[in-house]
mmCIF file of all heavy atoms in Angstrom:
data_model
loop_
_atom_site.group_PDB
_atom_site.id
_atom_site.type_symbol
_atom_site.label_atom_id
_atom_site.label_comp_id
_atom_site.label_asym_id
_atom_site.label_seq_id
_atom_site.Cartn_x
_atom_site.Cartn_y
_atom_site.Cartn_z
ATOM 1 N N LEU R 1 80.939 95.973 133.988
ATOM 2 C CA LEU R 1 82.355 95.782 134.264
ATOM 3 C C LEU R 1 83.153 96.743 133.387
ATOM 4 O O LEU R 1 83.364 96.501 132.198
ATOM 5 C CB LEU R 1 82.740 94.335 133.968
ATOM 6 C CG LEU R 1 83.909 93.743 134.772
ATOM 7 C CD1 LEU R 1 83.645 93.805 136.270
ATOM 8 C CD2 LEU R 1 84.157 92.312 134.358
ATOM 9 N N LYS R 2 83.547 97.860 133.964
ATOM 10 C CA LYS R 2 84.238 98.898 133.199
ATOM 11 C C LYS R 2 85.742 98.649 133.148
ATOM 12 O O LYS R 2 86.293 97.937 133.982
ATOM 13 C CB LYS R 2 83.963 100.270 133.827
ATOM 14 C CG LYS R 2 82.500 100.705 133.778
ATOM 15 C CD LYS R 2 82.364 102.130 134.299
ATOM 16 C CE LYS R 2 80.926 102.636 134.147
ATOM 17 N NZ LYS R 2 79.979 101.924 135.014
ATOM 18 N N ALA R 3 86.374 99.272 132.155
ATOM 19 C CA ALA R 3 87.824 99.135 132.001
ATOM 20 C C ALA R 3 88.584 99.667 133.206
ATOM 21 O O ALA R 3 89.672 99.188 133.514
ATOM 22 C CB ALA R 3 88.280 99.866 130.736
ATOM 23 N N THR R 4 88.014 100.633 133.888
ATOM 24 C CA THR R 4 88.673 101.169 135.107
ATOM 25 C C THR R 4 88.636 100.160 136.245
ATOM 26 O O THR R 4 89.442 100.221 137.157
ATOM 27 C CB THR R 4 87.992 102.485 135.542
ATOM 28 O OG1 THR R 4 86.570 102.280 135.538
ATOM 29 C CG2 THR R 4 88.337 103.621 134.599
ATOM 30 N N ASP R 5 87.663 99.227 136.209
ATOM 31 C CA ASP R 5 87.571 98.190 137.249
ATOM 32 C C ASP R 5 88.462 96.992 136.891
ATOM 33 O O ASP R 5 89.372 96.640 137.635
ATOM 34 C CB ASP R 5 86.128 97.691 137.391
ATOM 35 C CG ASP R 5 85.140 98.824 137.669
ATOM 36 O OD1 ASP R 5 85.523 99.759 138.409
ATOM 37 O OD2 ASP R 5 84.032 98.786 137.123
ATOM 38 N N VAL R 6 88.154 96.383 135.753
ATOM 39 C CA VAL R 6 88.911 95.213 135.276
ATOM 40 C C VAL R 6 89.166 95.394 133.777
ATOM 41 O O VAL R 6 88.281 95.106 132.947
ATOM 42 C CB VAL R 6 88.138 93.897 135.518
ATOM 43 C CG1 VAL R 6 88.939 92.706 134.998
ATOM 44 C CG2 VAL R 6 87.807 93.713 136.977
ATOM 45 N N PRO R 7 90.342 95.883 133.394
ATOM 46 C CA PRO R 7 90.595 96.064 131.969
ATOM 47 C C PRO R 7 90.734 94.717 131.258
ATOM 48 O O PRO R 7 91.296 93.772 131.794
ATOM 49 C CB PRO R 7 91.929 96.820 131.929
ATOM 50 C CG PRO R 7 92.578 96.529 133.251
ATOM 51 C CD PRO R 7 91.469 96.317 134.228
ATOM 52 N N VAL R 8 90.182 94.649 130.046
ATOM 53 C CA VAL R 8 90.321 93.476 129.189
ATOM 54 C C VAL R 8 91.225 93.860 128.032
ATOM 55 O O VAL R 8 90.985 94.861 127.350
ATOM 56 C CB VAL R 8 88.962 93.008 128.629
ATOM 57 C CG1 VAL R 8 89.140 91.837 127.663
ATOM 58 C CG2 VAL R 8 88.016 92.631 129.753
ATOM 59 N N VAL R 9 92.264 93.059 127.805
ATOM 60 C CA VAL R 9 93.068 93.240 126.578
ATOM 61 C C VAL R 9 92.824 92.036 125.682
ATOM 62 O O VAL R 9 92.893 90.884 126.136
ATOM 63 C CB VAL R 9 94.576 93.431 126.866
ATOM 64 C CG1 VAL R 9 95.192 92.194 127.502
ATOM 65 C CG2 VAL R 9 95.326 93.795 125.599
ATOM 66 N N ALA R 10 92.449 92.307 124.428
ATOM 67 C CA ALA R 10 92.104 91.241 123.492
ATOM 68 C C ALA R 10 93.126 91.163 122.385
ATOM 69 O O ALA R 10 93.702 92.175 121.975
ATOM 70 C CB ALA R 10 90.715 91.494 122.916
ATOM 71 N N PHE R 11 93.335 89.939 121.869
ATOM 72 C CA PHE R 11 94.279 89.719 120.772
ATOM 73 C C PHE R 11 93.559 89.355 119.476
ATOM 74 O O PHE R 11 94.218 89.198 118.452
ATOM 75 C CB PHE R 11 95.261 88.595 121.129
ATOM 76 C CG PHE R 11 96.022 88.828 122.407
ATOM 77 C CD1 PHE R 11 96.423 87.750 123.191
ATOM 78 C CD2 PHE R 11 96.334 90.110 122.839
ATOM 79 C CE1 PHE R 11 97.118 87.955 124.381
ATOM 80 C CE2 PHE R 11 97.038 90.321 124.013
ATOM 81 C CZ PHE R 11 97.421 89.249 124.792
ATOM 82 N N SER R 12 92.246 89.176 119.531
ATOM 83 C CA SER R 12 91.507 88.807 118.317
ATOM 84 C C SER R 12 90.271 89.696 118.117
ATOM 85 O O SER R 12 89.331 89.319 117.435
ATOM 86 C CB SER R 12 91.079 87.340 118.372
ATOM 87 O OG SER R 12 92.210 86.501 118.356
ATOM 88 N N VAL R 13 90.301 90.862 118.741
ATOM 89 C CA VAL R 13 89.215 91.830 118.572
ATOM 90 C C VAL R 13 89.773 93.075 117.930
ATOM 91 O O VAL R 13 90.673 93.722 118.475
ATOM 92 C CB VAL R 13 88.540 92.188 119.920
ATOM 93 C CG1 VAL R 13 87.543 93.337 119.728
ATOM 94 C CG2 VAL R 13 87.827 90.985 120.473
ATOM 95 N N GLY R 14 89.260 93.375 116.765
ATOM 96 C CA GLY R 14 89.677 94.582 116.077
ATOM 97 C C GLY R 14 88.470 95.370 115.621
ATOM 98 O O GLY R 14 87.337 95.130 116.058
ATOM 99 N N GLU R 15 88.727 96.273 114.706
ATOM 100 C CA GLU R 15 87.675 97.162 114.226
ATOM 101 C C GLU R 15 86.520 96.397 113.593
ATOM 102 O O GLU R 15 85.346 96.762 113.781
ATOM 103 C CB GLU R 15 88.270 98.136 113.202
ATOM 104 C CG GLU R 15 89.298 99.110 113.769
ATOM 105 C CD GLU R 15 90.727 98.547 113.845
ATOM 106 O OE1 GLU R 15 90.917 97.311 113.716
ATOM 107 O OE2 GLU R 15 91.653 99.341 114.046
ATOM 108 N N GLU R 16 86.814 95.305 112.887
ATOM 109 C CA GLU R 16 85.769 94.527 112.201
ATOM 110 C C GLU R 16 84.819 93.885 113.203
ATOM 111 O O GLU R 16 83.586 93.933 113.050
ATOM 112 C CB GLU R 16 86.406 93.465 111.306
ATOM 113 C CG GLU R 16 85.434 92.663 110.471
ATOM 114 C CD GLU R 16 84.750 93.468 109.377
ATOM 115 O OE1 GLU R 16 85.292 94.515 108.963
ATOM 116 O OE2 GLU R 16 83.659 93.057 108.938
ATOM 117 N N GLU R 17 85.367 93.268 114.254
ATOM 118 C CA GLU R 17 84.535 92.599 115.260
ATOM 119 C C GLU R 17 83.669 93.606 116.025
ATOM 120 O O GLU R 17 82.540 93.315 116.416
ATOM 121 C CB GLU R 17 85.403 91.809 116.242
ATOM 122 C CG GLU R 17 86.032 90.560 115.649
ATOM 123 C CD GLU R 17 87.207 90.833 114.714
ATOM 124 O OE1 GLU R 17 87.766 91.959 114.765
ATOM 125 O OE2 GLU R 17 87.560 89.952 113.929
ATOM 126 N N LEU R 18 84.210 94.819 116.225
ATOM 127 C CA LEU R 18 83.474 95.833 116.998
ATOM 128 C C LEU R 18 82.368 96.505 116.196
ATOM 129 O O LEU R 18 81.525 97.199 116.755
ATOM 130 C CB LEU R 18 84.447 96.907 117.532
ATOM 131 C CG LEU R 18 85.391 96.416 118.640
ATOM 132 C CD1 LEU R 18 86.434 97.464 118.955
ATOM 133 C CD2 LEU R 18 84.614 96.042 119.893
ATOM 134 N N ARG R 19 82.359 96.269 114.889
ATOM 135 C CA ARG R 19 81.272 96.815 114.058
ATOM 136 C C ARG R 19 79.911 96.276 114.487
ATOM 137 O O ARG R 19 78.898 96.941 114.318
ATOM 138 C CB ARG R 19 81.482 96.470 112.579
ATOM 139 C CG ARG R 19 82.350 97.446 111.823
ATOM 140 C CD ARG R 19 81.927 97.587 110.372
ATOM 141 N NE ARG R 19 82.118 96.405 109.556
ATOM 142 C CZ ARG R 19 81.659 96.272 108.317
ATOM 143 N NH1 ARG R 19 80.949 97.232 107.764
ATOM 144 N NH2 ARG R 19 81.870 95.174 107.632
ATOM 145 N N GLY R 20 79.888 95.055 115.034
ATOM 146 C CA GLY R 20 78.626 94.431 115.404
ATOM 147 C C GLY R 20 78.215 94.648 116.851
ATOM 148 O O GLY R 20 77.297 93.987 117.349
ATOM 149 N N VAL R 21 78.891 95.545 117.550
ATOM 150 C CA VAL R 21 78.655 95.728 118.978
ATOM 151 C C VAL R 21 78.451 97.218 119.271
ATOM 152 O O VAL R 21 79.058 98.063 118.627
ATOM 153 C CB VAL R 21 79.890 95.228 119.781
ATOM 154 C CG1 VAL R 21 79.662 95.347 121.272
ATOM 155 C CG2 VAL R 21 80.220 93.799 119.425
ATOM 156 N N ASP R 22 77.605 97.506 120.283
ATOM 157 C CA ASP R 22 77.557 98.874 120.803
ATOM 158 C C ASP R 22 78.822 99.070 121.633
ATOM 159 O O ASP R 22 78.969 98.495 122.716
ATOM 160 C CB ASP R 22 76.314 99.062 121.673
ATOM 161 C CG ASP R 22 76.268 100.446 122.335
ATOM 162 O OD1 ASP R 22 77.081 101.317 121.953
ATOM 163 O OD2 ASP R 22 75.441 100.640 123.234
ATOM 164 N N ALA R 23 79.762 99.861 121.112
ATOM 165 C CA ALA R 23 81.076 99.960 121.749
ATOM 166 C C ALA R 23 81.103 100.882 122.977
ATOM 167 O O ALA R 23 82.097 100.879 123.713
ATOM 168 C CB ALA R 23 82.097 100.452 120.716
ATOM 169 N N LYS R 24 80.042 101.612 123.217
ATOM 170 C CA LYS R 24 80.056 102.592 124.320
ATOM 171 C C LYS R 24 80.390 101.972 125.683
ATOM 172 O O LYS R 24 81.202 102.520 126.426
ATOM 173 C CB LYS R 24 78.740 103.364 124.374
ATOM 174 C CG LYS R 24 78.533 104.311 123.187
ATOM 175 C CD LYS R 24 77.234 105.104 123.300
ATOM 176 C CE LYS R 24 76.967 105.885 122.016
ATOM 177 N NZ LYS R 24 76.665 104.997 120.861
ATOM 178 N N PRO R 25 79.761 100.809 126.039
ATOM 179 C CA PRO R 25 80.118 100.212 127.353
ATOM 180 C C PRO R 25 81.543 99.661 127.401
ATOM 181 O O PRO R 25 82.035 99.300 128.481
ATOM 182 C CB PRO R 25 79.093 99.089 127.518
ATOM 183 C CG PRO R 25 78.042 99.331 126.516
ATOM 184 C CD PRO R 25 78.697 100.062 125.390
ATOM 185 N N LEU R 26 82.197 99.552 126.248
ATOM 186 C CA LEU R 26 83.524 98.929 126.193
ATOM 187 C C LEU R 26 84.651 99.963 126.160
ATOM 188 O O LEU R 26 85.834 99.590 126.054
ATOM 189 C CB LEU R 26 83.612 98.051 124.931
ATOM 190 C CG LEU R 26 82.463 97.059 124.735
ATOM 191 C CD1 LEU R 26 82.692 96.260 123.471
ATOM 192 C CD2 LEU R 26 82.319 96.166 125.935
ATOM 193 N N VAL R 27 84.289 101.218 126.248
ATOM 194 C CA VAL R 27 85.298 102.280 126.161
ATOM 195 C C VAL R 27 86.387 102.066 127.206
ATOM 196 O O VAL R 27 86.101 101.823 128.391
ATOM 197 C CB VAL R 27 84.645 103.664 126.323
ATOM 198 C CG1 VAL R 27 85.710 104.767 126.528
ATOM 199 C CG2 VAL R 27 83.784 104.003 125.119
ATOM 200 N N GLY R 28 87.638 102.126 126.772
ATOM 201 C CA GLY R 28 88.771 101.968 127.680
ATOM 202 C C GLY R 28 89.342 100.568 127.724
ATOM 203 O O GLY R 28 90.493 100.372 128.139
ATOM 204 N N HIS R 29 88.542 99.558 127.315
ATOM 205 C CA HIS R 29 89.111 98.212 127.207
ATOM 206 C C HIS R 29 90.120 98.221 126.049
ATOM 207 O O HIS R 29 90.099 99.116 125.188
ATOM 208 C CB HIS R 29 88.021 97.170 126.969
ATOM 209 C CG HIS R 29 87.225 96.862 128.212
ATOM 210 N ND1 HIS R 29 87.795 96.350 129.358
ATOM 211 C CD2 HIS R 29 85.890 97.028 128.494
ATOM 212 C CE1 HIS R 29 86.862 96.195 130.284
ATOM 213 N NE2 HIS R 29 85.699 96.614 129.783
ATOM 214 N N LEU R 30 91.002 97.237 126.035
ATOM 215 C CA LEU R 30 92.198 97.320 125.197
ATOM 216 C C LEU R 30 92.267 96.202 124.146
ATOM 217 O O LEU R 30 91.668 95.139 124.313
ATOM 218 C CB LEU R 30 93.443 97.215 126.078
ATOM 219 C CG LEU R 30 93.562 98.241 127.207
ATOM 220 C CD1 LEU R 30 94.578 97.767 128.239
ATOM 221 C CD2 LEU R 30 93.953 99.605 126.662
ATOM 222 N N ALA R 31 93.028 96.467 123.115
ATOM 223 C CA ALA R 31 93.429 95.418 122.162
ATOM 224 C C ALA R 31 94.867 95.659 121.789
ATOM 225 O O ALA R 31 95.335 96.815 121.754
ATOM 226 C CB ALA R 31 92.549 95.439 120.919
ATOM 227 N N ALA R 32 95.600 94.587 121.559
ATOM 228 C CA ALA R 32 96.999 94.689 121.125
ATOM 229 C C ALA R 32 97.091 94.130 119.715
ATOM 230 O O ALA R 32 96.652 93.008 119.448
ATOM 231 C CB ALA R 32 97.908 93.901 122.073
ATOM 232 N N TRP R 33 97.633 94.936 118.822
ATOM 233 C CA TRP R 33 97.817 94.540 117.433
ATOM 234 C C TRP R 33 99.100 95.174 116.897
ATOM 235 O O TRP R 33 99.824 95.821 117.638
ATOM 236 C CB TRP R 33 96.629 95.008 116.562
ATOM 237 C CG TRP R 33 95.310 94.306 116.779
ATOM 238 C CD1 TRP R 33 94.251 94.786 117.504
ATOM 239 C CD2 TRP R 33 94.889 93.029 116.277
ATOM 240 N NE1 TRP R 33 93.191 93.882 117.456
ATOM 241 C CE2 TRP R 33 93.567 92.809 116.712
ATOM 242 C CE3 TRP R 33 95.508 92.073 115.461
ATOM 243 C CZ2 TRP R 33 92.852 91.652 116.386
ATOM 244 C CZ3 TRP R 33 94.793 90.919 115.143
ATOM 245 C CH2 TRP R 33 93.478 90.725 115.601
ATOM 246 N N ASN R 34 99.314 94.991 115.615
ATOM 247 C CA ASN R 34 100.461 95.609 114.933
ATOM 248 C C ASN R 34 100.022 96.736 113.995
ATOM 249 O O ASN R 34 100.839 97.332 113.304
ATOM 250 C CB ASN R 34 101.248 94.566 114.150
ATOM 251 C CG ASN R 34 101.531 93.324 115.001
ATOM 252 O OD1 ASN R 34 100.943 92.258 114.763
ATOM 253 N ND2 ASN R 34 102.404 93.436 115.971
ATOM 254 N N TYR R 35 98.705 96.995 113.998
ATOM 255 C CA TYR R 35 98.125 98.031 113.139
ATOM 256 C C TYR R 35 96.748 98.382 113.683
ATOM 257 O O TYR R 35 96.026 97.514 114.172
ATOM 258 C CB TYR R 35 97.983 97.507 111.696
ATOM 259 C CG TYR R 35 97.034 98.324 110.827
ATOM 260 C CD1 TYR R 35 97.506 99.415 110.088
ATOM 261 C CD2 TYR R 35 95.671 98.049 110.756
ATOM 262 C CE1 TYR R 35 96.650 100.178 109.296
ATOM 263 C CE2 TYR R 35 94.814 98.793 109.967
ATOM 264 C CZ TYR R 35 95.298 99.864 109.241
ATOM 265 O OH TYR R 35 94.447 100.612 108.467
ATOM 266 N N PHE R 36 96.400 99.655 113.624
ATOM 267 C CA PHE R 36 95.029 100.113 113.837
ATOM 268 C C PHE R 36 94.635 101.042 112.694
ATOM 269 O O PHE R 36 95.476 101.763 112.154
ATOM 270 C CB PHE R 36 94.887 100.867 115.167
ATOM 271 C CG PHE R 36 94.960 100.006 116.396
ATOM 272 C CD1 PHE R 36 96.002 100.154 117.306
ATOM 273 C CD2 PHE R 36 94.003 99.034 116.655
ATOM 274 C CE1 PHE R 36 96.077 99.362 118.446
ATOM 275 C CE2 PHE R 36 94.077 98.231 117.796
ATOM 276 C CZ PHE R 36 95.107 98.413 118.702
ATOM 277 N N GLU R 37 93.343 101.056 112.380
ATOM 278 C CA GLU R 37 92.866 101.962 111.339
ATOM 279 C C GLU R 37 93.150 103.429 111.714
ATOM 280 O O GLU R 37 93.388 104.267 110.844
ATOM 281 C CB GLU R 37 91.362 101.767 111.101
ATOM 282 C CG GLU R 37 90.824 102.644 109.976
ATOM 283 C CD GLU R 37 89.355 102.377 109.665
ATOM 284 O OE1 GLU R 37 88.619 101.934 110.570
ATOM 285 O OE2 GLU R 37 88.943 102.615 108.527
ATOM 286 N N SER R 38 93.117 103.726 113.017
ATOM 287 C CA SER R 38 93.240 105.114 113.472
ATOM 288 C C SER R 38 94.658 105.683 113.393
ATOM 289 O O SER R 38 94.870 106.864 113.650
ATOM 290 C CB SER R 38 92.751 105.212 114.932
ATOM 291 O OG SER R 38 93.469 104.315 115.754
ATOM 292 N N ILE R 39 95.648 104.844 113.025
ATOM 293 C CA ILE R 39 97.022 105.332 112.896
ATOM 294 C C ILE R 39 97.109 106.340 111.753
ATOM 295 O O ILE R 39 96.585 106.102 110.664
ATOM 296 C CB ILE R 39 98.011 104.151 112.641
ATOM 297 C CG1 ILE R 39 98.061 103.243 113.882
ATOM 298 C CG2 ILE R 39 99.402 104.651 112.273
ATOM 299 C CD1 ILE R 39 98.756 101.928 113.619
ATOM 300 N N LYS R 40 97.746 107.473 112.038
ATOM 301 C CA LYS R 40 97.790 108.556 111.046
ATOM 302 C C LYS R 40 99.128 108.545 110.298
ATOM 303 O O LYS R 40 100.181 108.739 110.892
ATOM 304 C CB LYS R 40 97.628 109.906 111.750
ATOM 305 C CG LYS R 40 96.314 110.072 112.511
ATOM 306 C CD LYS R 40 95.146 110.293 111.570
ATOM 307 C CE LYS R 40 93.887 110.651 112.314
ATOM 308 N NZ LYS R 40 92.884 109.606 112.334
ATOM 309 N N ASN R 41 99.061 108.270 109.005
ATOM 310 C CA ASN R 41 100.202 108.426 108.097
ATOM 311 C C ASN R 41 99.671 108.333 106.684
ATOM 312 O O ASN R 41 98.593 107.770 106.445
ATOM 313 C CB ASN R 41 101.308 107.391 108.385
ATOM 314 C CG ASN R 41 100.881 105.962 108.069
ATOM 315 O OD1 ASN R 41 100.681 105.620 106.907
ATOM 316 N ND2 ASN R 41 100.730 105.136 109.095
ATOM 317 N N PRO R 42 100.403 108.881 105.704
ATOM 318 C CA PRO R 42 99.896 108.912 104.323
ATOM 319 C C PRO R 42 99.613 107.536 103.720
ATOM 320 O O PRO R 42 98.648 107.374 102.975
ATOM 321 C CB PRO R 42 101.006 109.640 103.549
ATOM 322 C CG PRO R 42 101.748 110.408 104.581
ATOM 323 C CD PRO R 42 101.668 109.619 105.843
ATOM 324 N N VAL R 43 100.442 106.537 104.041
ATOM 325 C CA VAL R 43 100.232 105.193 103.477
ATOM 326 C C VAL R 43 98.932 104.600 103.987
ATOM 327 O O VAL R 43 98.149 104.016 103.233
ATOM 328 C CB VAL R 43 101.430 104.252 103.810
ATOM 329 C CG1 VAL R 43 101.183 102.848 103.263
ATOM 330 C CG2 VAL R 43 102.716 104.806 103.235
ATOM 331 N N ASN R 44 98.655 104.796 105.290
ATOM 332 C CA ASN R 44 97.417 104.277 105.860
ATOM 333 C C ASN R 44 96.189 105.020 105.315
ATOM 334 O O ASN R 44 95.149 104.407 105.028
ATOM 335 C CB ASN R 44 97.445 104.363 107.385
ATOM 336 C CG ASN R 44 96.316 103.537 108.010
ATOM 337 O OD1 ASN R 44 95.905 102.520 107.467
ATOM 338 N ND2 ASN R 44 95.806 104.001 109.150
ATOM 339 N N GLU R 45 96.314 106.319 105.183
ATOM 340 C CA GLU R 45 95.190 107.091 104.634
ATOM 341 C C GLU R 45 94.831 106.595 103.232
ATOM 342 O O GLU R 45 93.647 106.444 102.913
ATOM 343 C CB GLU R 45 95.548 108.578 104.615
ATOM 344 C CG GLU R 45 95.497 109.237 105.989
ATOM 345 C CD GLU R 45 96.156 110.608 106.041
ATOM 346 O OE1 GLU R 45 96.266 111.254 104.971
ATOM 347 O OE2 GLU R 45 96.551 111.019 107.131
ATOM 348 N N ALA R 46 95.836 106.326 102.421
ATOM 349 C CA ALA R 46 95.598 105.816 101.048
ATOM 350 C C ALA R 46 94.980 104.418 101.105
ATOM 351 O O ALA R 46 94.059 104.106 100.329
ATOM 352 C CB ALA R 46 96.904 105.791 100.268
ATOM 353 N N PHE R 47 95.471 103.574 102.022
ATOM 354 C CA PHE R 47 94.959 102.208 102.194
ATOM 355 C C PHE R 47 93.467 102.241 102.568
ATOM 356 O O PHE R 47 92.645 101.517 101.981
ATOM 357 C CB PHE R 47 95.783 101.500 103.263
ATOM 358 C CG PHE R 47 95.364 100.085 103.587
ATOM 359 C CD1 PHE R 47 95.327 99.102 102.596
ATOM 360 C CD2 PHE R 47 95.021 99.719 104.882
ATOM 361 C CE1 PHE R 47 94.955 97.784 102.898
ATOM 362 C CE2 PHE R 47 94.653 98.420 105.195
ATOM 363 C CZ PHE R 47 94.621 97.448 104.197
ATOM 364 N N ILE R 48 93.117 103.077 103.511
ATOM 365 C CA ILE R 48 91.722 103.179 103.971
ATOM 366 C C ILE R 48 90.828 103.673 102.823
ATOM 367 O O ILE R 48 89.752 103.119 102.579
ATOM 368 C CB ILE R 48 91.623 104.139 105.173
ATOM 369 C CG1 ILE R 48 92.340 103.528 106.399
ATOM 370 C CG2 ILE R 48 90.165 104.437 105.521
ATOM 371 C CD1 ILE R 48 92.613 104.522 107.534
#
């Protein structure tokens, strides 16, 4: 079930939960949050 067929948007799945999963089949599925690790700015880079 690919994201192009039926997209899933999750509210409790983030980077930590995906550490335990092979993410390749999940490419394109979605999550909504107020922060992602991938956001680029100096404050986030220092935090990481």
Side-chain angles (χ1 to χ4, degrees):
L1 209 58
K2 295 185 175 67
T4 48
D5 305 322
V6 180
V8 176
V9 64
F11 304 149
S12 294
V13 172
E15 295 84 346
E16 184 68 22
E17 289 75 18
L18 290 172
R19 273 213 293 171
V21 182
D22 175 11
K24 291 182 188 68
L26 310 180
V27 169
H29 286 299
L30 304 162
W33 289 101
N34 312 108
Y35 164 89
F36 288 116
E37 183 176 27
S38 56
I39 294 168
K40 301 285 189 251
N41 67 68
V43 178
N44 193 32
E45 285 166 23
F47 179 58
I48 293 165

